[in-house]
Amino acid sequence: MRRRGFLLAAAGIGLTSGCGSFTGTARRGRIAVDLAFAPTQGLSPYSDDGLLLSRLAVVDGLTRMDTEGVVHPALAEKWARTSATTWEFTLRDARFQDGGRVTADAVEGALTRAGRAKTQPRVLSDMRLTARAAGERTVRITTGTADPLLPARLANPSLAIFSPAAYEKDGGVDPVGTATGPFALTKVNGAVSATLDRFDGHWRGQAAARGLDVTFVADNNARANALRSGQIEIAEFVPAAQALVLGDRAREVATVRTTTLYLNTRTGPLADAGLRAAVRESIDTSALARSVYEGYATRGTGLLGPGFAWADGKQLPVTGRAKAAKPHGRTLTLATYTNRAELPEVAAALQQQLRRAGFAVRLVVKDYARLESGALDGEYDAFLMSRSTALDTGDPVSYFASDFTSGGSFNISQLGDRGVDGLVREAAGLEGAARHRAMLRAEAAILGTDAAVPIVHEQHLQGVGAGVRGVVLDPYERQFVGLETRA
């Protein structure tokens, strides 16, 4: 039998693989998938759990973004910009997984609820939108300011469209059987597992697989070992240290992801800019990419890595930094999570470097689900995190806005800097090359505060079993299982 007697991943205990081997044929066309991150917000699309729904092909938005960052029609078959702040989207003929039709009224309701959600989706942290039905198949969307990225923004999983039946009185969203994607959730077992069946009424046609059996496994080696033994067909984020053993089952993916050390600028010792400067000066990242990441990373040169061709090698000089102060044994709490194999080892290396510089360092390493709320509340002095810098819109402005502005919904550094706020707002209102130049200015300003220390720019490895076809290797990390995925 496939794995019994699990300990909860959310308890921070690694899952252990049991005995047995299954193939896609033996499982009658179903695919077994191990994901690295368990739901932390009850699979609410307004949180990072929305990414899980996207990676499992549960949801659609009005638009979708491909692996090149190009935006395509999805539930909207076409759109047009009618003024600086107004767009009209024409809906295709599509149905919800509960059988209802996707209408303009349903889309209006879905986007309105997203804008009013208690936990604001990060993709809306730097703008507001209003959706109105303008006919059965036409939705008119207006934004508070000109937003050239609106079609890309609407491809974000947090703005996925659900059936009216999904929305609960308390503002929550129940995604079980109420979305529009190729696979419908049929059962969710908390932070342990989920079952999905093929939705035969999907507008793009039937998925190749009959269903997905998903387990959330925080233990990186357990995911890789389950793939090697044939217990599963697909494993998310396998460790670089297992690349040689896995051979061609480890698929390399270039990313727009940077591992960054976020420093708490509001409370604790690192509210002192001089001590933040001392942290930055004590860190040597030159060997980490070669050793910990086995060559599947490059040294961090900024917040934006080589995945952005317009930024690669064009970062601006960082000025205005505070002079480093002497630590005098000040104690820092450095936290990171186990879900990405390399982070605990990187954190241990940073701990040693900071100790040599004169800090005392307390290391906290847990499953991500047990750390996120504390990180957002400023509980830790330093938080080591692997972060996609283009996850929200395919464009770094929303990343800057959510992570480093005063009203940002993912501001782990607790940064409140008027200069940074202004530069991010300026970038948000521009297009093309002018937008890129403004983003480079904003990046330099953020680094000037020492709120974040870039460590490495990552590649990652996805585990794909022998004979499995159609897994989506997406640098933007929104897709994983797709319409054509089969075993």
Side-chain angles (χ1 to χ4, degrees):
M1 298 180 69
R2 183 179 184 267
R3 294 197 243 158
R4 298 283 187 181
F6 288 142
L7 294 175
L8 284 178
I13 301 174
L15 300 182
T16 304
S17 298
C19 298
S21 175
F22 292 84
T23 66
T25 301
R27 294 156 57 78
R28 298 184 179 180
R30 298 184 66 83
I31 297 176
V33 183
D34 275 3
L35 296 186
F37 294 88
T40 61
Q41 301 292 329
L43 283 174
S44 167
Y46 307 142
S47 70
D48 276 347
D49 289 359
L51 190 59
L52 294 177
L53 298 175
S54 177
R55 290 173 71 75
L56 294 173
V58 173
V59 295
D60 293 314
L62 292 183
T63 61
R64 65 182 180 90
M65 182 179 291
D66 69 14
T67 58
E68 301 293 326
V70 178
V71 178
H72 298 274
L75 293 178
E77 62 184 6
K78 62 182 179 179
W79 56 87
R81 191 175 189 177
T82 59
S83 75
T85 58
T86 305
W87 302 68
E88 287 194 355
F89 291 79
T90 302
L91 304 180
R92 70 173 70 250
D93 185 13
R95 291 193 174 274
F96 294 109
Q97 293 161 353
D98 61 10
R101 293 188 61 219
V102 177
T103 64
D105 285 335
V107 172
E108 174 186 329
L111 294 178
T112 299
R113 287 179 173 89
R116 296 175 180 172
K118 293 178 182 177
T119 301
Q120 185 184 52
R122 284 201 311 267
V123 70
L124 297 180
S125 63
D126 61 338
M127 62 87 67
R128 57 183 176 84
L129 60 79
T130 302
R132 292 287 182 267
E136 187 178 3
R137 296 180 57 229
T138 302
V139 179
R140 184 173 295 121
I141 298 178
T142 58
T143 56
T145 57
D147 182 27
L149 290 179
L150 183 65
R153 196 180 298 274
L154 291 169
N156 188 281
S158 291
L159 300 182
I161 307 302
F162 292 87
S163 162
Y167 298 97
E168 300 168 339
K169 291 182 179 179
D170 64 357
V173 182
D174 181 0
V176 176
T178 60
T180 64
F183 293 100
L185 280 165
T186 58
K187 183 178 180 181
V188 179
N189 184 18
V192 179
S193 63
T195 303
L196 298 87
D197 291 339
R198 181 170 64 196
F199 171 46
D200 290 338
H202 190 252
W203 55 272
R204 291 175 65 194
Q206 290 185 357
R210 293 179 61 86
L212 309 174
D213 298 309
V214 179
T215 308
F216 305 110
V217 183
D219 188 299
N220 302 285
N221 289 316
R223 293 195 304 277
N225 291 337
L227 180 70
R228 289 173 56 200
S229 68
Q231 287 182 280
I232 63 172
E233 282 77 55
I234 306 173
E236 185 181 46
F237 302 134
V238 296
Q242 294 225 29
L244 287 177
V245 177
L246 289 170
D248 60 7
R249 287 171 292 185
R251 307 286 179 84
E252 184 177 344
V253 188
T255 74
V256 287
R257 178 174 288 278
T258 299
T259 292
T260 301
L261 186 65
Y262 290 78
L263 304 182
N264 189 337
T265 64
R266 183 176 299 171
T267 60
L270 299 184
D272 183 336
L275 289 179
R276 295 200 301 275
V279 169
R280 169 179 46 80
E281 289 190 359
S282 71
I283 292 175
D284 178 8
T285 65
S286 57
L288 292 174
R290 295 191 305 273
S291 58
V292 178
Y293 288 88
E294 307 278 344
Y296 291 102
T298 58
R299 181 175 180 269
T301 56
L303 297 170
L304 306 178
F308 298 101
W310 54 266
D312 191 23
K314 300 179 179 67
Q315 277 85 0
L316 300 177
V318 178
T319 60
R321 280 172 162 160
K323 181 180 179 180
K326 292 190 178 298
H328 295 302
R330 298 292 295 274
T331 298
L332 305 180
T333 299
L334 166 59
T336 196
Y337 44 96
T338 58
N339 309 70
R340 290 187 177 270
E342 295 77 20
L343 291 184
E345 190 173 349
V346 173
L350 296 179
Q351 180 185 39
Q352 294 304 314
Q353 292 179 7
L354 291 168
R355 283 177 172 171
R356 286 195 293 270
F359 289 100
V361 183
R362 172 178 170 262
L363 198 58
V364 177
V365 180
K366 299 179 182 179
D367 176 76
Y368 180 80
R370 300 177 63 197
L371 291 173
E372 182 184 64
S373 61
L376 292 172
D377 290 341
E379 183 176 325
Y380 310 110
D381 300 309
F383 192 76
L384 182 67
M385 184 174 191
S386 174
R387 180 82 162 99
S388 173
T389 57
L391 192 61
D392 296 326
T393 62
D395 175 275
V397 168
S398 61
Y399 155 64
F400 287 161
S402 67
D403 286 30
F404 299 110
T405 64
S406 301
S409 60
F410 206 70
N411 190 353
I412 289 176
S413 292
Q414 316 296 313
L415 184 64
D417 184 283
R418 291 182 179 180
V420 168
D421 291 350
L423 288 169
V424 173
R425 280 196 303 271
E426 177 188 354
L430 299 172
E431 300 183 51
R435 186 182 184 91
H436 294 165
R437 290 192 295 270
M439 281 190 274
L440 292 174
R441 290 193 294 272
E443 177 191 34
I446 293 166
L447 293 175
T449 69
D450 283 324
V453 182
I455 305 299
V456 296
H457 303 304
E458 299 178 39
Q459 296 170 319
H460 63 229
L461 298 175
Q462 303 288 26
V464 180
V468 177
R469 300 289 182 270
V471 172
V472 185
L473 304 178
D474 182 10
Y476 293 89
E477 302 180 38
R478 295 183 179 187
Q479 303 175 75
F480 192 34
V481 177
L483 198 70
E484 299 177 357
T485 306
R486 67 188 72 208

